[in-house]
């Protein structure tokens, strides 16, 4: 009662059980490493009793931490609310179960539409740009508050009925600093292809891991391809970042754009801006990546940041691409550019 915000509704296990028809498998809409998500219907708080659709995230035993940690995370998520972050509507901690109740996103995830069961034709060039702007706004808000998401990916970008982007799944979100401003440490986490290379070598979270993931997400939206796709016939095309860099080095960067998009006029410049920005965000050296506020300014104003003609490479503990040992750092992305 002390840790949870007074305005945050608490639901009983019975209420959530009934809302999901006994956590029926037909109500299941998603599964993560530490949770299962169900679609349900609940009475809206502080209303005439009308029903609304919600997403109920049921933590499994690996995701169920101590009660005080669970309540602190609820308080933190509530504090960090933003129009581009999925809204936390309530919680339940009962019968050894921990559950979070979120607003339901009727259009599912970006991954559904870009790669799966959704309708990719709805992802027009303009909508994709707006999605990237929305995710950038959400991450900029988190970073300004001293928080890091740590699992930015297409599956965690949820879409409203009018395809507005909402960043969800705070399962890996942690404050960068505690009340005493002491940096927290964590075990490496993240999704292959989206995870920054330094996560293999350090347990210290920084906002630059989100910047790397954002760059990978931007490449997926630009190219219409997964960050890693082992099904492709040519090995050099299976890693999206490698493939885009090779196209840039050969002077054919525009050819990577998703042919399903209608790109003309000003949108050509915008997608050139996004491709350059994405490659800067995916720089192997964390310090060479832009800050999230720079990313947001760049994409909001459609600035084409200069890009080196060849891929940056170096010999160091963060290297994960097997480059020839050398030093070639890009310094073109600076605040002055903006």
């Amino acid at each position: 009662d002390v840790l949870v915000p007074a305005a945050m509704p608490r639901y009983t296990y019975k209420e959530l059980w009934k809302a999901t028809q006994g956590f029926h498998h037909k109500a299941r809409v998603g599964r993560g490493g530490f949770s299962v998500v169900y679609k349900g219907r609940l009475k809206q708080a502080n209303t005439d009793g009308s029903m609304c659709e919600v997403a109920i995230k049921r933590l499994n035993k690996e995701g169920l931490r101590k009660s005080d940690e669970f309540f602190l995370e609820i308080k933190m998520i509530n504090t960090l609310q933003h129009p581009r972050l999925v809204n936390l509507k309530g919680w339940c901690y009962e019968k050894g179960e921990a559950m979070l109740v979120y607003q339901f996103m009727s259009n599912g995830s970006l991954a559904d539409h870009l790669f799966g069961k959704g309708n990719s034709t709805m992802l027009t060039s303009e909508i994709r740009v707006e999605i990237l702007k929305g995710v950038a706004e959400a991450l900029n808000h988190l970073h300004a508050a001293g928080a890091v998401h740590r699992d930015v990916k297409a599956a965690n970008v949820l879409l409203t009925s009018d395809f507005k982007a909402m960043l969800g799944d705070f399962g890996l979100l942690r404050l960068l600093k505690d009340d005493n401003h002491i940096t927290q440490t964590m075990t490496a986490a993240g999704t292959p292809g989206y995870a920054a290379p330094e996560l293999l070598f350090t347990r210290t979270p920084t906002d630059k891991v989100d910047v790397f993931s954002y760059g990978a997400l931007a490449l997926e939206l630009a190219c219409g391809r997964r960050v890693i796709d082992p099904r492709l016939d040519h090995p050099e095309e299976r890693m999206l970042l490698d493939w885009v860099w090779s196209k840039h080095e050969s002077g054919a960067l525009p050819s990577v754009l998703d042919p399903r998009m209608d790109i003309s006029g000003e949108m050509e410049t915008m997608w050139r801006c996004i491709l350059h920005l994405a490659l800067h965000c995916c720089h192997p050296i964390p310090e060479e990546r832009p800050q999230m506020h720079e990313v947001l300014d760049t994409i909001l104003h459609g600035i084409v940041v200069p890009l080196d003609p060849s891929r940056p490479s170096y010999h160091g503990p963060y290297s994960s691409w097997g480059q020839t040992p050398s030093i070639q750092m890009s310094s073109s992305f600076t605040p002055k550019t903006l």
Side-chain angles (χ1 to χ4, degrees):
D1 293 335
V2 175
L3 294 174
V4 178
M8 182 66 62
R10 177 177 184 174
Y11 294 98
T12 65
Y13 178 90
K14 184 178 181 180
E15 286 177 305
L16 300 187
W17 187 87
K18 290 177 63 177
T20 58
Q21 297 181 318
F23 299 108
H24 197 278
H25 67 88
K26 290 185 178 180
R28 187 182 301 165
V29 293
R31 180 187 294 272
F34 302 106
S35 64
V36 179
V37 181
Y38 297 87
K39 179 181 178 180
R41 289 178 60 80
L42 285 171
K43 289 183 179 180
Q44 298 188 68
N46 304 319
T47 67
D48 57 1
S50 59
M51 305 293 285
C52 66
E53 292 183 332
V54 295
I56 299 170
K57 183 176 180 179
R58 187 184 190 188
L59 300 181
N60 59 25
K61 297 302 180 182
E62 288 76 16
L64 180 58
R65 298 182 301 278
K66 296 178 181 179
S67 60
D68 56 344
E69 293 178 348
F70 175 71
F71 296 137
L72 281 171
E73 186 157 332
I74 293 174
K75 182 177 180 180
M76 180 176 65
I77 293 173
N78 186 67
T79 302
L80 294 171
Q81 286 192 32
H82 182 269
R84 291 300 185 184
L85 296 174
V86 177
N87 185 29
L88 181 63
K89 300 177 71 69
W91 60 280
C92 172
Y93 195 91
E94 185 182 340
K95 297 182 181 294
E97 295 267 7
M99 289 179 275
L100 298 171
V101 181
Y102 291 96
Q103 64 185 110
F104 183 76
M105 296 288 104
S106 58
N107 265 322
S109 74
L110 174 59
D112 291 337
H113 293 273
L114 202 55
F115 311 121
K117 59 186 178 182
N119 186 358
S120 63
T121 60
M122 296 298 294
L123 294 179
T124 64
S125 177
E126 291 77 11
I127 285 178
R128 296 189 198 202
V129 172
E130 290 304 311
I131 288 172
L132 285 173
K133 289 179 181 178
V135 176
E137 289 174 1
L139 289 174
N140 183 56
H141 171 73
L142 290 177
H143 293 181
V148 60
H149 189 281
R150 293 264 329 250
D151 200 22
V152 178
K153 58 184 178 182
N156 286 339
V157 177
L158 305 179
L159 303 173
T160 64
S161 58
D162 55 352
F163 281 84
K164 294 288 192 301
M166 306 280 282
L167 186 58
D169 197 343
F170 293 91
L172 292 176
L173 186 149
R174 295 292 186 276
L175 287 179
L176 284 176
K177 295 181 179 180
D178 64 10
D179 292 338
N180 295 319
H181 303 289
I182 301 173
T183 301
Q184 300 290 307
T185 59
M186 297 176 60
T187 56
T191 302
Y194 292 99
E198 66 267 20
L199 286 177
L200 297 173
F201 306 96
T202 177
R203 297 175 59 190
T204 303
T206 72
D207 51 6
K208 293 302 181 74
V209 301
D210 284 347
V211 174
F212 185 97
S213 300
Y214 179 86
L217 177 70
L219 289 179
E220 285 190 324
L221 271 165
C223 305
R225 289 174 42 174
R226 295 182 183 274
V227 284
I228 302 176
D229 194 343
R231 301 169 300 174
L232 296 176
D233 294 333
H234 302 289
E236 65 274 12
E237 296 182 1
R238 294 172 185 170
M239 299 292 292
L240 183 57
L241 181 58
D242 291 345
W243 179 67
V244 173
W245 262 116
S246 68
K247 289 296 185 180
H248 171 65
E249 291 174 334
S250 64
L253 186 60
S255 68
V256 306
L257 292 172
D258 190 343
R260 295 174 292 181
M261 289 194 296
D262 181 17
I263 301 173
S264 59
E266 293 182 359
M267 292 307 295
E268 292 182 5
T269 302
M270 174 55 73
W271 282 108
R272 183 165 167 251
C273 156
I274 291 170
L275 287 172
H276 282 218
L277 177 63
L279 293 179
H280 275 289
C281 288
C282 291
H283 199 289
I285 303 173
E287 292 76 15
E288 292 294 312
R289 297 172 205 150
Q291 297 288 339
M292 207 63 221
H293 69 86
E294 296 176 310
V295 172
L296 181 58
D297 285 345
T298 300
I299 196 169
L300 286 178
H301 296 95
I303 301 170
V304 180
V305 181
L307 194 62
D308 287 344
S310 58
R311 182 176 188 162
S313 59
Y314 73 107
H315 182 64
Y318 297 153
S319 180
S320 63
W321 290 286
Q323 300 282 354
T324 302
S326 63
I327 299 291
Q328 187 181 345
M329 299 184 187
S330 170
S331 58
S332 58
F333 203 114
T334 66
K336 293 181 180 179
T337 306
L338 302 174

